[in-house]
């Protein structure tokens, strides 16, 4: 739809760490200029508490988020699909823009490691946002 913001879908296996952090950062940095979704191929029961803590340190509250199951319709509706270790579980649709971000999984990691992962995700989110809304980024 012309004039509507681009939609980014962040996907990882459990939708409890990387994809939640990426979605939270994109939502904050984009300020409504990008529609943001996240999902997982095998969702966990809750968001990783270390990810929640690390994100809170940078002013992004993901504590109320719940891991969601990846559905083909979400992929179909996205303009950009960013995968982070979901492997072959992510459906591929011709004409979609896909990016695969090779990032360490924060599951079971200490807070310092999760902070490092968060910071790497932030750099990638900033680059992607600049690509999606270059005149405003």
């Amino acid at each position: 739809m012309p004039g509507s913001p681009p939609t980014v879908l962040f996907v990882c296996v459990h939708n409890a760490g990387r994809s939640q952090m990426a979605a939270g950062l994109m939502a904050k940095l984009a300020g409504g200029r990008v529609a943001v979704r996240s999902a997982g191929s095998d969702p966990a029961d809750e968001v990783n508490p270390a990810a929640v803590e690390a994100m809170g340190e940078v002013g992004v509250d993901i504590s109320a988020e719940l891991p969601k199951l990846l559905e083909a319709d979400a992929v179909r509706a996205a303009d950009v699909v960013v995968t982070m270790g979901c492997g072959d579980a992510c459906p591929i649709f011709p004409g979609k823009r896909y990016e695969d971000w090779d990032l360490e999984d924060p599951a079971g990691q200490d807070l310092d490691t999760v902070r490092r992962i968060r910071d790497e995700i932030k750099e990638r989110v900033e680059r992607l946002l600049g690509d999606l809304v270059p005149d405003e980024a």
Side-chain angles (χ1 to χ4, degrees):
M1 175 185 281
S4 64
T7 299
V8 178
L9 173 65
F10 294 101
V11 181
C12 66
V13 176
H14 300 298
N15 189 222
R18 294 167 289 189
S19 58
Q20 290 285 355
M21 290 191 289
L25 287 162
M26 179 63 83
K28 179 178 180 165
L29 295 171
R33 297 173 292 161
V34 175
V36 182
R37 294 192 173 98
S38 71
S41 54
D42 183 19
D45 293 330
E46 65 181 6
V47 175
N48 179 336
V52 171
E53 185 173 348
M55 293 299 289
E57 293 174 353
V58 296
V60 179
D61 183 5
I62 61 170
S63 63
E65 296 298 325
L66 295 172
K68 296 167 277 311
L69 179 63
L70 175 65
E71 296 180 355
D73 286 346
V75 177
R76 198 175 288 113
D79 296 298
V80 180
V81 179
V82 178
T83 59
M84 302 175 223
C86 75
D88 296 335
C90 189
I92 304 294
F93 292 101
K96 291 282 174 209
R97 175 178 169 183
Y98 289 87
E99 291 189 16
D100 185 46
W101 293 357
D102 185 16
L103 296 162
E104 188 174 354
D105 188 344
Q109 302 289 350
D110 61 50
L111 187 56
D112 284 338
T113 301
V114 175
R115 286 178 181 130
R116 183 178 44 74
I117 296 166
R118 174 203 63 206
D119 293 346
E120 186 175 346
I121 290 171
K122 183 175 185 272
E123 290 175 11
R124 292 173 186 234
V125 164
E126 288 170 338
R127 282 194 299 270
L128 178 57
L129 180 58
D131 286 349
L132 294 174
V133 286
D135 298 333
E136 302 172 20

